[in-house]
Amino acid sequence: MSNNKNMIIATERQVDIAKAFKYSIEEVAVIQNTVAKGTNGVELGYFLSVCKSVDLNPFNKEIWCYKDNKNNIIIITGRDGFLTKAQRSPQYNGIRSSEVCEKDVFNLDVANNKITHNITESRSKRGAIIGAYAIAFRKDGEPTIEWADFATYNKGSFVWKSHDADMIKKVAESHALKKAFGMSNLHSEYDFNTSSGIAVPVNQESTSNVDTGQQKKDDLRDKKTIEVTEMP
């Protein structure tokens, strides 16, 4: 006798959705039980429609979705998803990013698209990471600069502790690519915390962290070590 306890049995709605979006019945059933868990038929159809329109593969974890606390569907991708989408554009012209530490000499002038960043010490002597910037370049226009504050986005998990510079750069890169290439229908995974399948924006959940991050930047401005000029 075969063991079928781990098999996913498709519903009639999943069969209809599979025909409409040209997925196999099994694929639709797997998607709704994994990367689109908790969606109803209409939401699943919308999710698959977006997958097709942005040409990202849910089976490669390039795109997935959650619900927010009002039961709205939020379609999410990571830095690699944004990068994959941007690289397909004939206007893509590269991206640069770096973490910024307390002792770095750094000036960010978003209004004039200017960054000065001088690293004069080894990583161990540069102090704590305060954030990261990313610059997304297009062949047909000005570069897009984004800043990500470390205190706001640090989730305190193992990967954020062990790869702090890489993670905060991914936040900045995601925001820059999204804005530069008009991916408004996709949300960055780094902008949400999830609990029991519910996604909560980090700026709603961590107001105290945002304030702490701003205070750190204010303190650094006072020391004249790092100056940040932001567009109002």
Side-chain angles (χ1 to χ4, degrees):
M1 180 183 298
S2 61
N3 186 354
N4 295 326
K5 66 179 181 179
N6 293 323
M7 289 181 62
I8 297 175
I9 300 174
T11 65
E12 290 184 10
R13 177 60 68 86
Q14 289 170 347
V15 172
D16 293 338
I17 290 172
K19 293 177 181 177
F21 292 97
K22 295 182 171 57
Y23 284 94
S24 72
I25 296 170
E26 292 78 9
E27 285 175 333
V28 170
V30 169
I31 288 170
Q32 193 168 23
N33 281 276
T34 53
V35 295
K37 202 168 186 177
T39 56
N40 59 34
V42 172
E43 292 164 341
L44 178 61
Y46 173 69
F47 172 70
L48 294 177
S49 177
V50 173
C51 292
K52 292 284 188 181
S53 69
V54 299
D55 196 19
L56 293 177
N57 190 339
F59 292 102
N60 292 340
K61 201 66 189 295
E62 293 177 345
I63 186 169
W64 61 99
C65 67
Y66 289 111
K67 298 285 196 72
D68 65 14
N69 55 12
K70 295 182 179 179
N71 210 37
N72 298 312
I73 186 171
I74 301 171
I75 298 180
I76 292 175
T77 190
R79 189 282 310 272
D80 292 345
F82 285 115
L83 185 59
T84 296
K85 182 70 174 158
Q87 287 175 332
R88 292 180 184 143
S89 169
Q91 301 306 326
Y92 177 75
N93 203 30
I95 187 167
R96 298 176 192 167
S97 65
S98 177
E99 79 281 2
V100 178
C101 299
E102 288 175 322
K103 296 181 181 179
D104 294 351
V105 177
F106 178 68
N107 183 72
L108 170 59
D109 183 351
V110 176
N112 294 299
N113 279 325
K114 293 181 180 179
I115 292 178
T116 301
H117 186 196
N118 296 320
I119 300 174
T120 59
E121 299 284 355
S122 64
R123 176 65 186 87
S124 61
K125 296 180 180 180
R126 290 168 59 197
I129 293 174
I130 64 163
Y133 62 87
I135 316 168
F137 297 92
R138 290 182 61 104
K139 296 175 183 176
D140 61 350
E142 293 186 344
T144 298
I145 300 174
E146 284 290 309
W147 167 264
D149 183 74
F150 188 81
T152 300
Y153 292 99
N154 177 21
K155 298 185 179 182
S157 62
F158 173 78
V159 68
W160 274 89
K161 292 176 181 178
S162 60
H163 296 82
D164 49 1
D166 291 336
M167 294 306 295
I168 195 61
K169 284 189 291 185
K170 284 184 176 183
V171 177
E173 289 167 1
S174 296
H175 292 172
L177 290 166
K178 176 179 178 177
K179 184 178 289 185
F181 293 91
M183 292 178 260
S184 58
N185 55 347
L186 297 173
H187 295 274
S188 169
E189 66 171 309
Y190 313 108
D191 292 345
F192 295 89
N193 289 319
T194 58
S195 177
S196 301
I198 303 298
V200 179
V202 294
N203 59 356
Q204 289 183 14
E205 190 175 76
S206 307
T207 303
S208 60
N209 287 342
V210 175
D211 293 340
T212 300
Q214 184 61 50
Q215 184 60 51
K216 286 183 178 179
K217 287 196 287 185
D218 291 342
D219 292 344
L220 288 165
R221 286 193 187 100
D222 293 340
K223 293 178 182 178
K224 297 183 179 180
T225 302
I226 297 176
E227 298 175 359
V228 178
T229 304
E230 297 179 348
M231 186 184 298

